[in-house]
Amino acid sequence: MLLTGEALTARASQALAVPLQAEVGVRLLDESDPPAGVWFTVDGLAYNGFGGVHAAALQTALEVAAYLALLPQLTVDEHAITHALSTQLIAGAPVGERVEARGTLDRRGKRTAFLSVVASCDGRTVARGQLTKSVVPFG
């Protein structure tokens, strides 16, 4: 049985509750559609100290957006963990700005999923990522 409805929402909430995501301030773009992606504001831990977004905050958002994009293709008994990733940091995002990250499932196999993610700020692409996730038992 694939993750849908309350089960999907609960799994998304669990992912956002991870301390790193919570401290960066990663939030759902659309509470009613978790796979749509996430956003955060460039401040606090997401600030690099030199006027812009910290690369680790971008990577965190890309990771979460990829996981959320995969959720509708996981069963209630499955989870996914990243085992390979590639990120291109394309442009900065200034302090106080909103960064949005959206993931796309490129292909799902029995034990592996391939995803693409794009982060943008004010209509500009600031980062792209490719993630390979291993599908593992949940729990």
Side-chain angles (χ1 to χ4, degrees), residues 36-62:
V38 296
W39 69 277
F40 67 94
T41 301
V42 180
D43 62 10
L45 290 180
Y47 171 58
N48 69 7
F50 295 96
V53 66
H54 195 290
L58 274 172
Q59 185 60 52
T60 299
L62 293 173

Side-chain angles (χ1 to χ4, degrees), residues 7-123:
L8 189 145
T9 301
R11 191 75 67 87
S13 294
Q14 191 174 11
L16 292 173
V18 170
L20 179 59
Q21 283 84 279
E23 289 298 320
V24 169
V26 176
R27 297 172 185 88
L28 294 175
L29 284 172
D30 182 345
E31 294 287 331
S32 66
D33 184 18
V38 296
W39 69 277
F40 67 94
T41 301
V42 180
D43 62 10
L45 290 180
Y47 171 58
N48 69 7
F50 295 96
V53 66
H54 195 290
L58 274 172
Q59 185 60 52
T60 299
L62 293 173
E63 172 71 33
V64 176
Y67 179 72
L68 295 176
L70 178 57
L71 279 183
Q73 297 302 314
L74 295 177
T75 69
V76 295
D77 297 325
E78 293 177 321
H79 180 54
I81 56 173
T82 299
H83 73 253
L85 60 95
S86 173
T87 303
Q88 298 81 44
L89 303 172
I90 298 167
V95 173
E97 292 294 319
R98 175 178 164 134
V99 175
E100 298 180 354
R102 292 175 174 81
T104 303
L105 175 63
D106 298 323
R107 186 169 56 114
R108 160 79 203 262
K110 184 170 176 73
R111 301 267 183 248
T112 311
F114 302 89
L115 299 113
S116 300
V117 191
V118 175
S120 61
C121 176
D122 198 26

